[in-house]
Amino acid sequence: MADSLHAPDVSSATVRSRMPAIRRMTLLRVQVPLKKPVKHASHERTASENLVVRIELDDGTTGYGEGVPRTYVTGESIGSTFRALERSDWPRSIGRPGSFAEVVAKLEGLSLAEIDGDSRGMGGNAARCALELAVLDAYGRYFQTSIGEAVRLAKVEGLERHARPRAVRYSAAITAESRRKEIVSAVKFRIYGFRDVKAKVGVAGQDDPRRLETLRRILGRRMDIRIDANEAWRADVLIERVAPLLRFRPSLLEQPVPHAQVDALAELRLRLGVPVMLDESLCGWPDGVAAIERKTADYFNVRLSKCGGLLPSLRLIGLARRNGLGVQLGCHPGETAILSAAGRHVAGRVAGIRYLEGSYDRHILKANLTAADLTFGYGGRARPIDGHGLGIEVDPALLAAMTTETKVIDYA
Ligand SMILES: [Mg+2]
C-alpha cells in the first residue's frame, strides 16, 4: 500500500485556509521632492505627488506599490485614486490565493469602476498600478518569488519573454533647459557612453533646429537621438514644424500633436519622414486598439502607471508586437524606487523593448523611499534586481517623511 495513503489528510482546502488574505490596505499621498523643476511643453513641477499603496497580509507580510496620477495624462488626481481604491472591493475578493500563479491570474481580472466606465480605459490606471504592484510585492515575498515571475506567468499573446532576467540599458534625456545646461548634459551623455538620448522639443521660446544641430554635433553621428513634443504642435502645422529637424536624423518623434488630433496622424505619419510614437494618446487598452486600427503609430510608449500596471502594460506591449509596432517602456519623472524597480523587472524579462526610460532616481529626486539606490550606471546600464517581490526595502522613516495624507482600510 502506498505511503501516501497513511499520510495525514492535508486536503487543498486545509492548505488554503492557512494561506494569507489581505488584512489591510494603506493609501499614502506622497510628496517626492525633485532636484529641479520638471519642464515640458505643457507643464512644470518642483515636487512629484505620488500615490503609494501598502498592502498587509494577515501573516504580517507587507508589499508596496506606486502610481503617478496626472490629470493631464489619465485624468487622475491623488484624490481620485484614493476614492477609487477605497471603493474597490478587490482586495477582499482575492481571497487566499494558493500560489503566486494564482495571484497573477486574479490580478489579470483586476479592474476598477473608473477604468471600466471610461471610453479610453484609463480613469483609474495609476490607482490600479499602485494596488497591483503592492499585491504582487506582498505575495511575491510570501511565496518567495520575484515579481518578475509575473511577467513569465502573464497570459499575453505575442509577448516574447526571456527565461531569465537580463541586464538592460536606459536612455538619457535632455529636457529643454538653458543652452549651456543642455550642452553640459550632452557632453556628459557622450562621455558616459549612452546609446540613445531623448530630447524634448516644442517648448515655447526654444529654437529646436539650433538645439538639435548642437546635440547632434556633440553626441556624434552614431548616437540614436529621438524627440518628444509632448502634444506641442497642431496637426495643420506639423509637417512644417518637423521638416527643419529631419536633417539631424531623429530616430522617432513622440506624441507630436494633442490627443484630440491624434487621428490626423494616420495620414500625416506617412508624410512626416520620421516614425511616430504615441504617449499621451496611449493610456488604456482602447487607445492601443484605436492606434492599430487607425494606423496612427509606429511605436507605443508604454508606462506602467499610465497604462494601469504591469499586466495591462504587458497586454499593450503584446498588442504592439503582434502588429509589428516598436515599443518603449517609459516612466514618469518623479517615480520613486518602487516604480523604478517594477520597470526594471519588466524591462529585464520582456524581449523586443526598443527604448527604455526610468531608474533616473538619484538624478531627479532629492529623496527616495529606499536606502539602496536603483539609479542606472555607466552608459545607462543596469542589472536585474534579485530578491522576493520587488526586491527592494522601502524604509518606513523615509516614507513617513514624504507622506502628507494617509488612509487605512481594514478587511475583516
Ligand atoms: Mg512623452
Side-chain angles (χ1 to χ4, degrees), residues 387-403:
H388 302 147
L390 285 165
I392 57 167
E393 298 304 325
V394 169
D395 181 329
L398 294 173
L399 178 58
M402 290 184 206
T403 301

Side-chain angles (χ1 to χ4, degrees), residues 198 200 228 230 254 279-280 301:
K198 171 153 105 181
K200 295 283 185 179
D228 184 356
N230 288 109
E254 186 172 333
D279 182 7
E280 286 85 347
N301 183 5

